[in-house]
Coordinates of all heavy atoms in Angstrom, one line a residue:
I799 N 16.7 26.4 1.5 CA 17.6 26.4 0.4 C 18.6 27.5 0.5 O 18.2 28.7 0.5 CB 16.9 26.4 -1.0 CG1 15.8 25.3 -1.0 CG2 17.9 26.3 -2.1 CD1 15.0 25.3 -2.3
V801 N 21.2 30.4 -0.3 CA 21.5 31.1 -1.5 C 22.8 31.9 -1.2 O 22.9 32.6 -0.2 CB 20.4 32.1 -1.8 CG1 20.7 32.9 -3.1 CG2 19.1 31.4 -1.9
G819 N 6.7 33.3 -4.0 CA 7.9 32.8 -3.4 C 7.8 32.3 -2.0 O 6.8 32.3 -1.4
G820 N 8.9 31.7 -1.6 CA 9.0 31.2 -0.2 C 9.4 32.3 0.7 O 9.3 33.5 0.3
V832 N 16.3 30.5 1.5 CA 14.9 30.5 1.2 C 14.2 29.4 1.9 O 14.7 28.2 1.7 CB 14.6 30.5 -0.3 CG1 13.1 30.4 -0.6 CG2 15.3 31.6 -1.0
A834 N 11.6 27.1 1.6 CA 10.7 26.7 0.5 C 9.5 25.9 1.1 O 8.4 26.0 0.6 CB 11.4 25.8 -0.5
H853 N 0.5 30.0 -5.3 CA 1.2 31.0 -6.2 C 2.6 30.5 -6.6 O 3.1 29.5 -6.1 CB 1.3 32.3 -5.4 CG 2.0 32.1 -4.1 ND1 3.3 31.9 -4.0 CD2 1.5 32.2 -2.8 CE1 3.7 31.8 -2.7 NE2 2.6 32.0 -2.0
N854 N 3.2 31.2 -7.5 CA 4.6 30.9 -7.9 C 5.5 30.9 -6.7 O 5.4 31.8 -5.9 CB 5.1 31.9 -9.0 CG 4.4 31.8 -10.3 OD1 3.9 32.7 -10.8 ND2 4.3 30.6 -10.8
G855 N 6.2 29.8 -6.6 CA 7.2 29.8 -5.4 C 6.6 29.4 -4.1 O 7.2 29.5 -3.1
A856 N 5.3 28.9 -4.2 CA 4.6 28.5 -2.9 C 5.2 27.2 -2.3 O 5.0 26.9 -1.1 CB 3.2 28.3 -3.2
G857 N 6.0 26.5 -3.1 CA 6.6 25.3 -2.5 C 6.2 23.9 -3.2 O 6.6 22.9 -2.7
K858 N 5.4 24.0 -4.2 CA 4.8 22.8 -4.8 C 5.9 21.9 -5.4 O 5.9 20.7 -5.1 CB 3.8 23.2 -5.9 CG 2.7 24.1 -5.4 CD 1.7 24.5 -6.5 CE 2.3 25.3 -7.6 NZ 2.8 26.7 -7.2
S859 N 6.7 22.4 -6.2 CA 7.8 21.6 -6.8 C 8.7 21.1 -5.8 O 9.2 19.9 -5.9 CB 8.6 22.4 -7.9 OG 7.7 22.9 -8.8
T860 N 9.0 21.9 -4.8 CA 9.9 21.4 -3.7 C 9.3 20.2 -3.0 O 10.0 19.3 -2.7 CB 10.2 22.6 -2.7 OG1 10.6 23.7 -3.5 CG2 11.2 22.2 -1.7
H997 N -1.1 24.6 -12.3 CA -1.8 25.9 -12.3 C -3.1 25.8 -13.1 O -3.8 26.7 -13.2 CB -1.0 27.0 -12.8 CG 0.2 27.4 -11.9 ND1 0.0 28.2 -10.8 CD2 1.5 27.1 -12.0 CE1 1.2 28.3 -10.2 NE2 2.1 27.7 -10.9
Ligands
LIG1250 N1 17.6 26.2 -6.4 C1 17.0 27.1 -5.7 N2 17.7 28.1 -5.1 C2 17.1 29.0 -4.3 N3 15.8 29.0 -4.0 C3 15.0 28.1 -4.6 C4 15.6 27.1 -5.5 N4 14.6 26.3 -5.9 C5 13.4 26.8 -5.3 N5 13.7 27.9 -4.6 C6 12.8 28.7 -3.8 O1 11.9 27.8 -3.1 C7 10.6 28.4 -3.1 C8 9.6 27.3 -3.5 O2 9.9 27.1 -4.9 P1 9.0 25.9 -5.7 O3 9.7 25.7 -7.0 O4 8.8 24.8 -4.8 O5 7.6 26.7 -5.9 P2 6.4 26.3 -6.8 O6 5.2 26.4 -5.9 O7 6.6 25.0 -7.5 O8 6.3 27.5 -7.9 P3 5.8 27.5 -9.4 O9 4.3 27.5 -9.4 O10 6.3 28.9 -9.9 O11 6.4 26.4 -10.1 C9 10.6 29.7 -4.0 O12 10.7 30.8 -3.1 C10 11.9 29.5 -4.8 O13 12.5 30.8 -5.0

Side-chain angles (χ1 to χ4, degrees):
I799 306 177
V801 182
V832 177
H853 57 71
N854 290 129
K858 306 179 294 293
S859 302
T860 307
H997 290 283

